[in-house]
Every structure is written in C-alpha cells, then in structure tokens.
Amino acid sequence: MAFNTSKPGARAIFRPTFDLTLCDGCGQCAIECTFNEIKMVPHGEKKIPVANRMACGACHRCEIMCPRSAIRIEEDIFATRPHGVWSPQHIQRVHLQATSGSVALTGFGAETFLPVFWDKMLFNACQVTNPSIDPQREPMETITYLGRKPEKLSDVKDFSGLVKNLIPLHIPIVFAPMSYGSINLNLQKAMARVAKNLGLLWYTGEGGLHKDLYPYADYAILQVASGRFGVSPEYLKLGRGYQIKIGQGAKPGIGGHLPGEKVLEGISETRMIPLYADAISPAPQHDIYSIEDLRLLIYAIKEANDYKPVCVKIAAVHNVAAIVSGIVRAGADMVYLDGYRGGTGAAPNIVRDHVGIPIEVALAVVDQRLREERIRNQASLIVAGGIRNSADVMKAIALGADAVAIGTPVLIACGCHGCQRCSSGKCPWGLTTNEPLISERLDVEWAEERITNLITGWHHEMQEIMGLNGIYDIGSFRGNRLILRGVDLNEKEL
C-alpha cells in the first residue's frame, strides 16, 4: 500500500497530560494553545481535552492558565536503541527533514552541550586584611558611561563636549536588539519604559522605530541593518545612538528574514515595506566590503545626527580580536559582541548550533587585544550571548565588558518557556507574534513590572558581588581579572 511521506517525522517530544478528576471541561486549555495541540472531544455529559501529540513545544501556557491545575507538561521521549553517535534528537531531525525537505528553523539560543565557561569561573572574596563592603550600609556605584573616552583626563579641554558624547547607564545592562515584527510591540514598549525608568538603554533591532515609541527614543539605540528597514532622515535624528549590524551571534554569516505573513499593518508602516512582503536582510551590508567602507558608513551616520555615538554589532567568530581592532580604528564608539548561544527569533538549526565561538572567549581576547594596542579607551564593549543571571553579568564585566546585553532573560521574565517556535508567529505568550488576538495576551504594565523586578533583583546581587570583593565602584571591577578564579580549565583556556 502507499505509505504517507509525513511519517515517520511528524511527532512532538512533549505532550500535555490531563487529570480528568480535576478537569471540568471548561476548554480554556484549547483556547490558550495556539499550536492546536489540544482539542475538546465529547466524553459522556461533558467535553474533555485530548492531545494530538504532534505540536506541543512545552510552552506551558495551558498548564499555567488552567483554572483547575489539571494539566502537566511531560517529555514524550522518542525511544530508540542507545547509540554513541545517533541520539534520539539526531534521528528525529532526519525524520523531520525527510518529511518536509526544508531547512530546520528554530529560535532561542544554541542547545548543544558544549562547556559553558561562565560556570568554570568563580569570584574571589575578601576576608581579614582587605575587608568587604556591606552594600546595605555603604553606597555602591554602578553607573557606567558608554562611548569614546580620552586616554587621559589631562587631554580633555572641553568637559561638556565629552559628557555630551557619552551615554550614561545607571546599571551596566542594556536590552538586546529584538525588532518590531520579530517581537510584539507591547514587549518593546515594556522594555522602553523600563529603560527610561531605570536609566538603561534598549536596542530597537532592525525593524525601525514605531511612532508609539518616539517618547522613549532618548533611551534607544536605533539599528541600521543591511535591509535599511525604517531608516530615514527623521530616524537618524531620533535615537540616543545608532548601531550598524554586521552579524548576529545565533547566525553568523547569514542575514535575516521576517516572513511576509508577519508583516502586518504597523510593521509594514514602520519598516517602510509593503504589507505581507517578506522582509529580507542580506547577509552582508552591500556597501561594506572593507574597514574603510565601514568607516564611511560610521561617519555618514554621525554626520546625519550631530555626531551621536555609533555602535557596530558583530558575531563572535575566529579572529574577532583583529576585527574589533579594525572597527575601533574605523571610528566606532561602541562594539557589540554577540556570542555563540545568543538568542534569535529564527535561524537554521544547523547554523545556530554549529557556528561561532562563546562570548566568554571572544570577550577575553578582544579586551586583551585592545589594551595591548592602547586603544581600549576609544570604544566601549557591550557583550551578549547566553547571559543567564547577575553572576554572568559580573563575570563579563570582570573580563572587560563595559555593559552586558540581555534578550532571552527578558522574554523568560514575560512568560517564555523556551519552546523555540518564535518564527511561527503563534507565540502562546504573545511575545514573538503580532497577531492581534494573541498579542493582547501580553499586557504592557505586567511585562514592565516583571522586567523591572528582574533588573532590580540582579542589581542588588551585582552590588553584593562588588561588596564581597571590597569594591564599591563598577569601574574598579571592570577588566579586573584577578577577581576571577578558573576551575577545571587548562592553561590555554585560563
């Protein structure tokens, strides 16, 4: 008989399970599931939920929203004979592609089990001869300034001009570029509000700046990407600074693609493209083929906006130190390093998991190279890619970062459970979708409060780490590698 080519392959690795002794058949779970994993079927005098075991991504929306707490998400293990090379995940990936003939897309960050160097570094601490500081009783200074700085204060003749061209951060944390279209406008609004209230920065990503966000432009770094979406003379005067995107940690060497079905009315207007047209960003910027070309774009942007700071974003790859050196000498005021494990709304799985280098390695070699060339003061370093908590933030600063960018922690704070379906436009939490009915699930005030709580908690912990090292100013922590101790690292890694 004829065999359906969709099998094997169409199978989820998670499934919802239902406690029918608690379930009252209200059907809320089927409403909440945007992937049509759950449907209600007649069962006696009521309806009960049934899972089709084809689409669950473990977003946990149904479980959390169930008014009777009658649902649990369980791993539906793909049972195969144990093998040293072919894991169940590898086998299922082949089945999936044999079914569709397509590139396997995914979201989130790399999920390979490579060493996480943050976990192999520990902080030092003060004891007898060098007393620690109690941040509850002593003032702790976490403000930092981003931008090009003089080598010596004695070289400064116009202090007002110097301060004008520096961007203050009250906490050395910024919100990573996540564009309108790839994420919900409500989420951008929440990040923008938090940035304004806490004295931080948020990066717009390549999707332009929606008019509702103009009041927060003084806290925004506006991106100029290869697609030039949303870029106009007005756009080049709005932001606190600008970012030229060369690469992204989750997909070095390839461009971006927002599917046409996600280009709805507001996105179309903001990106300045037709409704439902695919928004494709080429892999290279077609006017940049050398450091000299990059310098021309940097200064073109500066000329357009009264010389506001310009940042260049690159992916962490081999020879990153030499690349950053060239970028700084080209005139960039900030360099944004995006490492392996950085998040994305959509990338080929094969690229996300197998291209790039960890941000811990990239940051260490870049900071060292710039110091050796005596140009470290000429640009600030912002790093991203796999930052999970305040300890990762402080370890990055001790390795030389001026600030740390976070994106995935913001999404998680607002409900994300890492289902990796960002590109579908069906995010059950309303985060990576702009479909009106689903977008409404994300309340701006609720998201703002959650993100504020996250940053506030991290800030307290960062001050504790400074205090236990006897340091009250973040500037004395930055690049101070003596604070760190490597564990289970070889000589080269150290």
Side-chain angles (χ1 to χ4, degrees), residues 90-91 107 168 267 350 391:
H90 289 127
I91 292 173
I267 299 161
I350 200 75

Side-chain angles (χ1 to χ4, degrees), residues 331-347:
D333 304 290
M334 298 173 281
V335 179
Y336 186 114
L337 285 174
D338 198 12
Y340 180 78
R341 296 193 182 92
T344 180

